[in-house]
Amino acid sequence: MSNLQNPPALNSPNPLGFWDDAIGALASELSPQQFKTWIQPLTLVSYDISERSLIVGAPNRFKLDWIKKTFSDRFQEMADLYFGHPVVLGFILSVDVAVAQTQVASAPQERFESQEVVPTTPDSTSTEEQAFEIEDHSKLNPNLTFETFVTGKANQLARAASIQVAHNPGTSYNPMFLYGGVGLGKTHLIHAIGNHLLKEKPSARIRYIHAEQYVSDVVRAYQQKAFDRFKRYYHSLDLLLIDDIQFFSGKSRTQEEFFYAFEALLSNKAQVIITSDTYPKEMAGIDDRLISRFDSGLTVAIEPPELEMRVAILMKKALSEGIPMSEDVAFFVAKHLRSNVRELEGALRKILAFVRFHGREVTIDVARIALKDLLSIQNRQISVENIQKAVADFYSIKVADMYSKKRPANIARPRQIAMFMAKELTQKSLPEIGELFGGRDHTTVLHAVRKIGDERSHDGQLNHEIHVIEQTLKS
Ligand code: ADP
Ligand code: MG
């Protein structure tokens, strides 16, 4: 994404800087699929600084309506925050040819990946000049460094391992496999490794790539018969950072290509760093030989942040925005928002926007007003993620075990308790709960719900435990 290469100049707001910033923010807030579908096709059609107006174009009526309905508030909020004054924001249908072409070009790719059919003829428009190009940039975001990464119990191992690898790439921990839930700092940490190495050794060939982008690079290389170039590029890196590798699931052609790249890189003593939402053995739809490679170096988890760390993150980020937040306000916010760092950042953005507009100090009352919607949602509904975290904490197991397929009793039982609580405390259906527990069948959830419900009625100890967990969830 372009914002990774050219971070906006924060001190001089300008429309293009805003656009990069906004797209970058949405890229980290949405799933890659959502981002690709809704945000990527948008263009900044025009802007007028004196009129304080920006116009965003969408490629078709359907997307236009949807963007207006779903994202206009978010864009407005980001624009107002970025420029520091209210901006008039319009959405129109763009007749941008480039956008239309991008969409046509992406169609064969989906077909290829879903059916694993390799196109035999190159795209008719592909000529020598338009041959497959790999942009020769690291794609590192310079803002994601170790300095801006707050440490706590939840991530200290991951950070220590990352520092170690950044200092001695290609030697001890190769590959390094970093896993954990969304918004916990995986992407941040691997950029930090890349940035560190780049500083130490500016000539190092470093590449950050999201797994989904790698998949489409493989497809493009195929369509344009440019595999040699593709291979030369990937096999010659010093450091490959590949993010969210679970996106390789079911894409066997991509996996095969990656396997070769991986072998080549390791034999060159180049460092490979991989992130995923779960640990290697739990990954579904990934070839066994890749899984065993992933597991052959160092595998390290990153866990949801504990209270003190959430407080530290809020205070540090507020300070870096030039609006200090006192510890009691940070505690107030951190107590209410527990799931991940991305959520905390969203809350902080809301508070800062409110404070800037109304010229207020950051107090608990201000935070409460600014986060009114967020907090009422949190209070009304307890999320399945929060239940998983609370139960895992209580029984001292990893949150990742909630979605894992492992079945030892010390894990299986807390997992059943969490499923039972998810049914009791949320509005989710059995299949939805199954999905959130690593794609389990609804009958598995039903079994857990009945079993725990039954036991609870005559097991005082279990009843107490569930009660305590419920209290932590509601406090
Ligand atoms: P993941 O890749 O695990 O989904 P990210 O690395 O994208 O999560 O983190 C989400 C957001 O939270 C990013 O803006 C990131 O900079 C920030 N973040 C995550 N962990 C930390 C941390 N320990 N200190 C500071 N910022 C963090
Ligand atoms: Mg990430």
Side-chain angles (χ1 to χ4, degrees):
M1 254 139 280
S2 55
N3 70 309
L4 295 181
Q5 280 162 264
N6 306 312
L10 287 172
N11 31 15
S12 59
N14 65 79
L16 294 176
F18 159 70
W19 189 241
D20 270 356
D21 214 12
I23 297 297
L26 289 166
S28 68
E29 286 164 22
L30 302 172
S31 76
Q33 191 55 46
Q34 286 175 319
F35 178 79
K36 208 164 126 189
T37 311
W38 302 109
I39 306 302
Q40 207 150 290
L42 301 180
T43 46
L44 184 59
V45 175
S46 71
Y47 46 85
D48 184 331
I49 295 182
S50 56
E51 295 278 329
R52 299 186 162 187
S53 71
L54 289 172
I55 297 186
V56 175
N60 59 47
R61 170 67 55 193
F62 177 65
K63 289 196 177 176
L64 177 66
D65 290 346
W66 205 85
I67 287 288
K68 277 209 249 180
K69 204 170 81 205
T70 320
F71 286 110
S72 60
D73 284 356
R74 184 75 184 96
F75 271 110
Q76 187 71 56
E77 181 195 30
M78 290 190 290
D80 296 346
L81 190 60
Y82 182 90
F83 291 99
H85 56 69
V87 171
V88 180
L89 192 60
F91 292 87
I92 60 162
L93 263 185
S94 64
V95 276
D96 192 323
V97 181
V99 170
Q101 281 171 348
T102 318
Q103 288 185 327
V104 173
S106 67
Q109 166 185 332
E110 281 153 27
R111 229 175 20 244
F112 163 52
E113 281 305 341
S114 54
Q115 300 169 4
E116 287 292 328
V117 176
V118 176
T120 47
T121 49
D123 179 22
S124 60
T125 58
S126 118
T127 63
E128 276 303 312
E129 310 88 77
Q130 289 166 309
F132 181 73
E133 280 294 329
I134 301 161
E135 289 164 76
D136 207 0
H137 291 295
S138 69
K139 305 271 172 156
L140 288 172
N141 179 341
N143 300 319
L144 302 177
T145 61
F146 288 120
E147 288 73 44
T148 57
F149 191 78
V150 177
T151 321
K153 260 201 301 221
N155 63 18
Q156 65 192 16
L157 261 180
R159 178 171 173 274
S162 300
I163 289 177
Q164 178 73 20
V165 169
H167 283 286
N168 304 298
T171 51
S172 36
Y173 302 145
N174 209 6
M176 177 171 131
F177 191 97
L178 178 63
Y179 71 90
V182 292
L184 300 184
K186 300 183 297 296
T187 299
H188 188 135
L189 259 187
I190 68 172
H191 276 273
I193 298 172
N195 283 315
H196 180 91
L197 185 64
L198 192 64
K199 210 162 102 199
E200 301 265 287
K201 205 172 156 233
S203 63
R205 291 173 60 84
I206 301 173
R207 175 62 191 256
Y208 166 86
I209 189 164
H210 190 271
E212 221 180 16
Q213 180 64 47
Y214 187 87
V215 172
S216 46
D217 279 5
V218 169
V219 175
R220 257 190 325 142
Y222 241 121
Q223 290 172 334
Q224 306 182 358
K225 301 202 160 155
F227 253 109
D228 287 346
R229 214 184 118 61
F230 178 87
K231 284 205 170 92
R232 253 200 324 275
Y233 174 77
Y234 278 102
H235 295 197
S236 72
L237 294 169
D238 298 313
L239 172 62
L240 174 62
L241 306 159
I242 184 150
D243 208 357
D244 288 328
I245 199 114
Q246 69 272 13
F247 279 94
F248 279 10
S249 174
K251 307 201 163 60
S252 55
R253 188 65 190 84
T254 300
Q255 290 181 32
E256 194 180 331
E257 217 39 67
F258 184 71
F259 179 77
Y260 296 132
F262 183 91
E263 295 283 279
L265 287 168
L266 257 71
S267 72
N268 291 344
K269 299 226 182 307
Q271 178 73 43
V272 177
I273 300 178
I274 300 161
T275 76
S276 167
D277 61 352
T278 182
Y279 43 89
K281 291 219 167 57
E282 280 304 320
M283 298 183 69
I286 304 282
D287 194 69
D288 284 346
R289 65 181 180 171
L290 263 186
I291 289 185
S292 76
R293 294 298 189 288
F294 292 169
D295 222 4
S296 64
L298 175 74
T299 298
V300 56
I302 188 162
E303 299 264 327
E306 69 276 7
L307 179 65
E308 292 75 10
M309 188 172 139
R310 299 199 297 274
V311 169
I313 287 174
L314 284 166
M315 290 176 68
K316 178 160 180 166
K317 294 204 185 248
L319 195 62
S320 76
E321 292 282 333
I323 302 186
M325 179 183 275
S326 67
E327 205 171 282
D328 56 334
V329 178
F331 261 103
F332 169 79
V333 177
K335 263 194 206 143
H336 285 89
L337 305 174
R338 332 152 185 253
S339 64
N340 65 53
V341 183
R342 192 168 296 158
E343 180 186 69
L344 285 180
E345 287 184 339
L348 181 65
R349 261 198 309 270
K350 283 207 164 79
I351 295 174
L352 296 184
F354 186 91
V355 167
R356 284 185 179 127
F357 277 137
H358 300 278
R360 301 273 298 268
E361 296 282 302
V362 189
T363 61
I364 292 186
D365 280 341
V366 162
R368 192 177 281 126
I369 300 169
L371 302 181
K372 183 165 83 276
D373 298 343
L374 253 166
L375 297 184
S376 70
I377 293 169
Q378 296 274 326
N379 287 343
R380 236 182 308 122
Q381 4 169 292
I382 294 169
S383 74
V384 174
E385 284 84 347
N386 286 343
I387 293 173
Q388 290 172 329
K389 163 109 175 69
V391 175
D393 278 354
F394 188 86
Y395 292 104
S396 305
I397 62 170
K398 290 192 180 130
V399 177
D401 286 327
M402 289 288 164
Y403 342 113
S404 81
K405 287 171 202 92
K406 287 200 293 197
R407 271 194 278 188
N410 69 318
I411 291 171
R413 188 169 167 79
R415 194 157 55 210
Q416 288 182 326
I417 292 172
M419 287 182 190
F420 167 80
M421 293 185 74
K423 187 70 196 120
E424 286 246 304
L425 300 175
T426 74
Q427 304 299 316
K428 295 259 187 284
S429 67
L430 294 172
E432 285 171 329
I433 294 172
E435 197 51 47
L436 291 164
F437 280 82
R440 288 184 152 76
D441 195 60
H442 74 278
T443 53
T444 308
V445 183
L446 183 62
H447 172 73
V449 169
R450 285 196 178 140
K451 179 161 170 275
I452 302 298
D454 210 42
E455 281 180 34
R456 185 192 188 179
S457 60
H458 49 77
D459 180 345
Q461 174 68 23
L462 175 65
N463 190 33
H464 174 72
E465 290 172 0
I466 291 175
H467 181 74
V468 171
I469 298 169
E470 232 179 277
Q471 290 310 301
T472 31
L473 280 166
K474 287 179 176 162
S475 67

